[in-house]
Amino acid sequence: MPLTILHQSDRFVVIEKPAGLLSVPGKGPDKADCAASRVRAMFPRATGPLVVHRLDMDTSGLMVFGLDEGAQRELSRQFEDRLVEKAYVALLETIDVDIARSPLAQDSGLVDAPMRVDLDNRPFQIHDPEHGRPAQTRWRVLAREPDRVRVRFEPITGRAHQLRVHASLPAPLCLGAPILGDVLYNPTDHRLARELDETPPRSPRGRLMLHATELSFLAPGTKRREEFTSPPPF
């Protein structure tokens, strides 16, 4: 799983993370390989914690790392203050979706569905309007294909699994069309992954069709807005 450097400066680096690679180390020596550890190996003079944000292991696309403690802190603050602009492309499976009754009948919209972790089924996330944290996602249809819709997502908030949950939960609150290849929230991929009985679970239908395609932030120090794009590999 090659990791591609798109841009590097004295204070930050932007990479393309491949699907299947962790963003940060997991528990145990078998989960030590990750985007953060590879960046640290490539930039041995980097200081500080590096990590600014994360992508799910099965999500590919753009990530930024701070190469010094001040840059990491400044970039992290931008994510917290929602100054970072980011967008994703996903393929949603619609073979069992009544498009006429779905928000996907429109060309764009906003999903507003608070979320929290399912305490009895981690890392699964669920909608909880009472105890969940605010979660909002703008979406726009890019193309309508046989049994699937290509969608651009712009997350306003940054909850774990937010795009995957907002795609899969039933309409009209959410889109009711799970992302293709999602072994957690797409019933077909979940069933196929269980039949394979592999760790980590994977679907024989292919990877999770979710890619971080745009990333824009203020460069540490200069405050100049930097913009990066990465076309989806699907």
Side-chain angles (χ1 to χ4, degrees):
M1 294 181 291
L3 183 150
T4 303
I5 302 293
L6 285 188
H7 176 86
Q8 66 181 79
S9 71
D10 292 338
R11 304 201 65 193
F12 68 90
V13 59
V14 177
I15 69 162
E16 279 184 329
K17 186 187 81 67
L21 180 68
L22 290 166
S23 292
V24 298
K27 294 181 179 179
D30 59 321
K31 296 181 177 61
D33 183 29
C34 63
S37 64
R38 293 190 188 187
V39 169
R40 188 170 295 281
M42 292 177 180
F43 299 90
R45 295 185 180 180
T47 59
L50 293 179
V51 178
V52 174
H53 65 125
R54 304 181 186 188
L55 294 178
D56 290 345
M57 181 178 72
D58 294 329
T59 302
S60 59
L62 296 171
M63 292 186 69
V64 59
F65 290 87
L67 295 180
D68 62 75
E69 186 174 354
Q72 187 273 343
R73 184 169 55 249
E74 186 173 338
L75 289 167
S76 296
R77 180 187 56 79
Q78 290 185 47
F79 274 89
E80 293 173 1
D81 295 343
R82 301 181 186 176
L83 298 176
V84 176
E85 298 174 3
K86 50 189 182 293
Y88 297 72
V89 170
L91 283 180
L92 309 187
E93 189 169 34
T94 57
I95 190 170
D96 295 321
V97 177
D98 183 353
I99 294 294
R101 297 178 179 272
S102 165
L104 291 171
Q106 308 299 318
D107 291 331
S108 62
L110 172 71
V111 174
D112 186 354
M115 297 166 47
R116 66 168 176 83
V117 67
D118 184 345
L119 298 177
D120 298 321
N121 190 22
R122 295 175 184 270
F124 203 81
Q125 307 288 319
I126 59 175
H127 170 235
D128 186 336
E130 182 177 358
H131 302 290
R133 301 176 69 188
Q136 296 177 315
T137 303
R138 294 189 186 96
W139 59 271
R140 175 165 58 87
V141 172
L142 298 176
R144 301 182 188 275
E145 306 170 12
D147 297 332
R148 62 185 64 179
V149 175
R150 186 175 293 264
V151 171
R152 171 190 170 92
F153 283 128
E154 295 180 11
I156 299 173
T157 54
R159 309 304 174 208
H161 297 181
Q162 177 174 315
L163 303 182
R164 300 162 72 176
V165 171
H166 282 180
S168 63
L169 286 181
L173 177 68
C174 296
L175 300 184
I179 298 175
L180 191 68
D182 192 340
V183 297
L184 286 180
Y185 302 100
N186 187 321
T188 300
D189 287 285
H190 182 72
R191 175 179 57 80
L192 293 173
R194 286 176 61 89
E195 291 174 356
L196 284 178
D197 192 26
E198 293 181 344
T199 302
R202 67 177 183 87
S203 171
R205 302 200 306 170
R207 52 157 291 172
L208 175 71
M209 300 300 181
L210 179 63
H211 183 77
T213 188
E214 296 178 21
L215 183 64
S216 172
F217 53 86
L218 303 177
T222 68
K223 302 297 184 182
R224 181 180 64 192
R225 182 157 289 276
E226 302 279 359
E227 299 180 352
F228 301 94
T229 60
S230 171
F234 49 78

